[in-house]
Amino acid sequence: MERTICHIDMDAFFAAVEQLRNPALKGKPVIVGGGLRGVVSTASYEARAFGIHSAMPIFQARRLCPQGVFLPARMGLYREVSARIMDFLTRVSPKVEQVSVDEAYLDLTGTRRLLGEPVAVAGKIKNWILQNIGLTCSVGIAPNKFLAKIASDWDKPDGLTVIEEDRVDGFLRELPVAKLPGVGQKTLEILLGLGISRVGQIQKLPEAILIRKFGKFGGRLLELSRGVDSSEVTPCRPPKSISSEDTLDQDTDDVEILSNFVMAQAATVGKRLRRQGLRARTVTLKLKYSDFRLTTRAHTLEGPTDSTKTIRDAALKLLRSQKGMSKVRLVGVSVSGFDRGAEQLSLFGGSTVQDEKQARLDRAVDEVTEKFGEDLLRKGS
C-alpha cells in the first residue's frame, strides 16, 4: 500500500502566539529570543524581511531591525497552545509523532475510506487550527516523512503542498541540496566543492565517493536523493524529564534574584506535570556559571509529586545549599523519575488537608493561566 505521510508545521509559532495574545503586535516585526545574550528562537515574517532568522544572535538581530519588538521566550505559554493542537491531531489519526513544540507527522496511510482524501484532511486540520486557535500552519503531504517535511516548508506561510509518488523524481531533480535534512554548512560546502548544487546531481555520484567524503551519512544522502525514506511515524514516548531554564541578561550571584527564577520555573514544571498526568520523584537544579562551568544538584523526594510547592521548595533548598557560589549566567529546574497517576501520601497513608488544599490551588492557577496567560499570576517571593 502506498504510504501517505502528512507533516504539520506551525508558521513562526512563538512570534505568532505573541501576536495572537497581543493584537497590537500584528503586522510588526516580532523577535522572540533569549535575552540580551541569547539567540533568536523565532522571528515573525515581518521580521524575516529584515534578514532575521532563527539561531541568529540577538545583538545582531537588533542591529538589523532596531525598531523590532523583542520579547523573551515564554515556553510555558507556547507549550499550552501546542498541547491543544497536538490533542486535536491525535483525534484525526491514531499515528501522530510530535517532533517539536510546533511540528508533527501524521500517518494517513489507508485512511481514505474513513477520513477522505488526504488533501481534504489537511484542509480540515488547517481550518480547525485557524478557527479554534487563531494561528496558521503549513502542511506537506508525501509518500514519506522526509519528503513531507520538505513539502510543508515549500509554500510558507499558510501553505499546502502535495508531492505525489509519480512526481518525486522530478521534484528532487532540481531541489537545492541545502534543503536535504542533515545538510549543514560544512556538508553544503563540500557538496558545492564537488560541483553539486541540486539533489539530482547526487544520484550520479558513486556511493563509494559519498561514503569517503561523508562517512555513513554519504549512504543516507544517496537514499534521500532518490526519495527513499522508510522511517515510520512513531507515536511519542513519555518524556524522561521535564525542565524549564533561563539564560540571565546579567550574570549574578544574588540568591534572591536566582530564587525568583527558580520559583517561576518550578511553577512551569509543575503545570506541565499536571497537564501530562505525571508525578516526579527527583528535582534537579541546574546552574551554568559565567565561566561556562555547569553543575547540577538533585534531590529525591519521599514520594512522587506534581505539586508546584513541593518542587519549588526542593529546588530552592538546593539553590540555597550552594556555598561560595560564583556568578551564574543560566539557571534551570527539572524533574524526572516519573510515575503516572501515583498519589503523594502522608506518613499515615492518606493525603493531608494541606496536600488537598495545595492540589486545589494548583488546579485553580492552571485554569486561570490556561485562559489568560502565564503572566497573570506569579508566586510572590
Side-chain angles (χ1 to χ4, degrees):
M1 180 184 295
E2 182 180 315
R3 298 173 72 205
T4 305
I5 308 299
C6 179
H7 183 252
I8 314 292
D9 193 3
M10 301 303 298
D11 298 322
F13 184 54
F14 297 175
V17 171
E18 296 292 350
Q19 290 174 323
L20 179 67
R21 288 297 178 112
N22 183 0
L25 298 178
K26 289 284 178 83
K28 294 183 179 180
V30 175
I31 300 97
V32 178
L36 297 175
R37 299 184 302 188
V39 297
V40 174
S41 297
T42 308
S44 68
Y45 287 93
E46 296 86 356
R48 295 180 193 192
F50 291 87
I52 297 172
H53 57 79
S54 297
M56 173 182 285
I58 289 290
F59 73 85
Q60 186 177 346
R62 287 185 182 276
R63 281 209 304 260
L64 291 173
C65 185
Q67 72 273 38
V69 180
F70 289 81
L71 299 172
R74 296 194 288 170
M75 292 307 301
L77 171 61
Y78 311 144
R79 289 190 184 101
E80 288 175 21
V81 178
S82 172
R84 292 181 62 196
I85 295 168
M86 298 303 162
D87 179 67
F88 169 72
L89 294 181
T90 59
R91 287 182 266 141
V92 175
S93 169
K95 294 189 73 173
V96 177
E97 179 181 350
Q98 181 178 355
V99 290
S100 70
V101 73
D102 62 348
E103 61 178 318
Y105 291 100
L106 281 75
D107 191 338
L108 299 179
T109 305
T111 63
R112 278 180 168 82
R113 291 182 63 182
L114 179 64
L115 302 178
E117 290 298 315
V119 172
V121 175
K124 291 175 183 175
I125 290 171
K126 287 169 62 67
N127 185 63
W128 187 92
I129 293 173
L130 181 62
Q131 295 300 319
N132 291 273
I133 308 295
L135 301 176
T136 65
C137 67
S138 295
V139 181
I141 300 173
N144 57 49
K145 290 172 70 175
F146 138 66
L147 288 168
K149 182 170 176 61
I150 289 178
S152 70
D153 193 48
W154 198 253
D155 188 27
K156 275 186 163 290
D158 199 20
L160 172 54
T161 301
V162 181
I163 304 176
E164 302 283 0
E165 182 81 52
D166 57 3
R167 287 181 50 220
V168 170
D169 285 343
F171 179 84
L172 288 174
R173 193 175 302 124
E174 297 302 317
L175 186 73
V177 291
K179 292 283 188 180
L180 290 178
V183 175
Q185 189 59 38
K186 186 175 180 181
T187 302
L188 180 61
E189 289 173 2
I190 296 174
L191 287 170
L192 294 176
L194 293 172
I196 295 171
S197 60
R198 303 288 171 178
V199 173
Q201 295 171 290
I202 297 176
Q203 299 176 4
K204 301 174 184 178
L205 281 180
E207 186 174 8
I209 291 179
L210 287 168
I211 291 175
R212 187 165 68 247
K213 290 286 186 181
F214 306 107
K216 287 178 64 176
F217 185 61
R220 175 66 171 161
L221 268 178
L222 190 58
E223 284 186 341
L224 294 179
S225 74
R226 295 169 177 170
V228 177
D229 177 22
S230 59
S231 56
E232 295 290 331
V233 173
T234 307
C236 298
R237 299 172 182 171
K240 292 184 178 179
S241 65
I242 291 175
S243 64
S244 176
E245 60 185 45
D246 293 281
T247 297
L248 312 183
D249 288 340
Q250 278 190 309
D251 299 347
T252 184
D253 57 4
D254 188 321
V255 174
E256 292 309 312
I257 292 176
L258 294 171
S259 295
N260 287 332
F261 281 98
V262 166
M263 287 191 291
Q265 291 161 354
T268 297
V269 168
K271 183 174 182 180
R272 290 179 62 196
L273 277 173
R274 293 187 291 275
R275 184 192 300 132
Q276 297 182 47
L278 298 172
R279 289 177 169 82
R281 291 180 176 273
T282 302
V283 178
T284 301
L285 175 73
K286 175 180 177 181
L287 296 172
K288 183 183 285 186
Y289 297 102
S290 54
D291 60 2
F292 289 88
R293 284 184 300 113
L294 181 66
T295 65
T296 58
R297 296 289 184 269
H299 173 70
T300 300
L301 305 167
E302 291 183 2
T305 188
D306 63 4
S307 164
T308 291
K309 181 180 184 300
T310 302
I311 297 165
R312 182 183 69 237
D313 290 350
L316 288 174
K317 186 175 181 180
L318 289 168
L319 174 66
R320 289 164 181 161
S321 69
Q322 304 302 301
K323 303 298 183 185
M325 187 165 54
S326 302
K327 289 198 172 184
V328 172
R329 63 176 285 119
L330 177 146
V331 58
V333 173
S334 66
V335 293
S336 56
F338 297 138
D339 283 355
R340 186 178 292 275
E343 291 188 6
Q344 184 178 19
L345 301 178
S346 74
L347 181 64
F348 301 103
S351 297
T352 66
V353 172
Q354 191 63 36
D355 290 337
E356 292 170 0
K357 286 177 65 177
Q358 183 61 44
R360 288 199 299 271
L361 175 60
D362 284 338
R363 288 194 296 270
V365 171
D366 290 349
E367 289 174 7
V368 172
T369 56
E370 183 81 29
K371 188 172 184 179
F372 298 105
E374 293 208 340
D375 291 339
L376 185 66
L377 293 178
R378 290 188 180 276
K379 176 70 176 177
S381 59

